[in-house]
Amino acid sequence: MVLIDGKALAVKIQGKLAEKVARLKEEKGVVPGLVVILVGEDPASQVYVRNKERSALAAGFRSEVVRVPATISQEELLALVERYIQDASWHGILVQLPLPQHIDEEAILHAIDPKKDVDGFHPTNMGKLWSGHAVMIPSTPAGIMEMFKEYEIALAGKRAVVIGRSNIVGKPMAQMLLDANATVTIAHSQTQNLAELAKTADILVVAIGRGHFVTKDFVKPGAVVIDVGMNRDANGKLIGDVAFDEVKDVASYITPVPGGVGPMTITMLLEQTYQACLLAGEAGSQ
Ligand code: NAP
C-alpha cells in the first residue's frame, strides 16, 4: 500500500506557486489577491478561514478575511460581495459556507463574478466544467486530480465510484474523472447495495461526512481509495469517512485523514486565485 501524502504534495505545489507569485510581482507588479468573507462565528469555518489566510500569505498573496456578524442581512452581504467584485485588486472572492439560515446561499454564490469565483461554485463555472471547458473548478476534487497526477495513477478506462453527490465535492469529482476517461458511477444515500457497488471500483472516492463508514467490505483489493471526509469522533479527533486501519491493508493507494485531501484543497484554492489573477491581466483589468 502506498500512502498518498497530501501534506507533502501541498508543500511542494505551494512552494512552486510562491515562486510564480514572486515572478509575477517582479515582472508585472501584480500580486494575486484573495478575499474570504466569513459570516458568523462557526468554529470549524473559523479554522478553515484562518488556514486559508495563513497559506495565502505564506505563498506571497494578498489576503484578507472579512468577518461580519451572523445578523448581517442578505442585502448587506450582497453589497459587500459587490464591493470586492468591483475592486480589481482582488482576484478571488470566497464566501465561506455554511451561511446563516436567513441568507439564501444560492443567491450569494450566484452573485459572485464567475471570473473571481475561485471556489468554482457559480453555475457558469459548473456548466463550463460539465461541458468540458473548465475555467474555475472546485478545489477539493481539483486537489484529488493533482494527487492522481503526482502518484501517476492511471484513470483512463478505470472504473471509478464516487460516494457522495454534493455540488462542491461529489458531482465535480465525477465530472473530472469522466474527463480523464474513467467510467464513473455516483452513489448517494439512496444507492442500493452500496458496499457491493463500491467493491467494483478501481478508484473509490468517498465524500459523505460519516466517520469510518467505508470499511474493507467496500473495497476491492488493489483499489485506490480517496477519503474526503472530515468528521470528529467521540474524543474530538479528526477522522475520515474511511476506516483507514482496515482499508489500508486492502487498498493499493490510500489518503490519510488528516494529511490527505485537506491540505490539497487549500493549495488548489490558491492555484485558482493565481489563475484568476492571470486571467484578469489578460482581460486588461490589471
Ligand atoms: P454533503 O453536502 O453533506 O453531501 C454528502 C453526500 O453524501 C450526499 O450526497 C449524501 O447523499 C451522501 N451520503 C450521506 N450519507 C450517506 C450514506 N450513508 N451512504 C451513501 N451516501 C451518503 O457533504 P460534502 O460537503 O460533500 O462533504 C462530505 C465530507 O467531506 C464531509 O465530511 C466534509 O467535511 C468533507 N469535506 C472535506 C473537504 C476537504 O478539504 N478535505 C472539503 C469539502 C468537504 P444524498 O445526496 O442522498 O443526501
Side-chain angles (χ1 to χ4, degrees):
M1 177 278 297
V2 175
L3 190 74
I4 300 181
D5 189 341
K7 206 168 161 189
L9 181 57
V11 168
K12 183 173 151 183
I13 297 177
Q14 286 185 32
K16 282 190 189 156
L17 196 51
E19 286 169 18
K20 290 192 282 186
V21 168
R23 213 173 308 133
L24 189 67
K25 188 177 177 185
E26 201 180 297
E27 290 171 4
K28 301 249 160 84
V30 178
V31 179
L34 171 67
V35 64
V36 179
I37 299 174
L38 174 61
V39 182
E41 315 230 316
D42 178 68
S45 294
Q46 305 240 26
V47 175
Y48 299 150
V49 162
R50 213 175 306 131
N51 288 342
K52 283 169 187 169
E53 187 183 31
R54 199 177 300 148
S55 301
L57 293 173
F61 288 65
R62 283 174 69 227
S63 184
E64 184 175 317
V65 177
V66 183
R67 291 181 169 80
V68 294
T71 50
I72 192 171
S73 72
Q74 179 151 323
E75 289 66 35
E76 287 167 327
L77 185 55
L78 284 169
L80 186 64
V81 168
E82 184 59 28
R83 195 187 318 153
Y84 286 100
I85 290 174
Q86 294 306 329
D87 185 341
S89 69
W90 295 104
H91 307 97
I93 304 171
L94 184 155
V95 179
Q96 183 67 41
L97 303 179
L99 291 170
Q101 287 213 324
H102 67 278
I103 291 179
D104 178 355
E105 201 164 280
E106 212 173 82
I108 302 298
L109 295 181
H110 289 199
I112 296 175
D113 180 344
K115 293 192 218 62
K116 295 193 177 189
D117 169 40
V118 283
D119 253 341
F121 296 164
H122 190 283
T124 297
N125 286 325
M126 285 196 183
K128 284 185 174 171
L129 173 64
W130 278 94
S131 59
H133 303 97
V135 183
M136 295 290 157
I137 50 177
S139 304
T140 301
I144 294 169
M145 295 305 285
E146 283 297 318
M147 288 171 156
F148 292 140
K149 202 158 94 187
E150 175 74 10
Y151 284 81
E152 296 179 356
I153 294 168
L155 300 172
K158 295 292 167 65
R159 175 176 268 270
V161 173
V162 179
I163 313 182
R165 58 174 162 180
S166 70
N167 285 335
I168 65 172
V169 187
K171 283 183 201 160
M173 179 81 261
Q175 171 56 22
M176 289 179 208
L177 287 164
L178 187 62
D179 251 358
N181 296 318
T183 302
V184 186
T185 303
I186 308 178
H188 45 78
S189 66
Q190 308 282 310
T191 298
Q192 308 267 308
N193 305 323
L194 181 60
E196 210 174 285
L197 173 73
K199 223 171 174 163
T200 65
D202 303 308
I203 312 282
L204 181 63
V205 182
V206 189
I208 55 179
R210 287 172 191 256
H212 291 177
F213 183 86
V214 167
T215 60
K216 64 177 175 359
D217 298 334
F218 287 63
V219 181
K220 177 164 92 173
V224 176
V225 179
I226 306 293
D227 187 356
V228 183
M230 291 201 302
N231 315 282
R232 296 276 167 194
D233 71 4
N235 302 316
K237 190 175 154 231
L238 185 66
I239 59 167
D241 288 344
V242 175
F244 181 87
D245 285 344
E246 57 176 85
V247 172
K248 74 175 178 0
D249 298 329
V250 186
S252 59
Y253 291 82
I254 187 167
T255 59
V257 176
V261 173
M264 286 303 295
T265 296
I266 294 185
T267 304
M268 298 317 288
L269 173 70
L270 298 182
E271 185 69 44
Q272 297 282 320
T273 305
Y274 174 75
Q275 293 300 335
C277 178
L278 293 186
L279 288 173
E282 278 168 22
S285 58
Q286 262 303 324

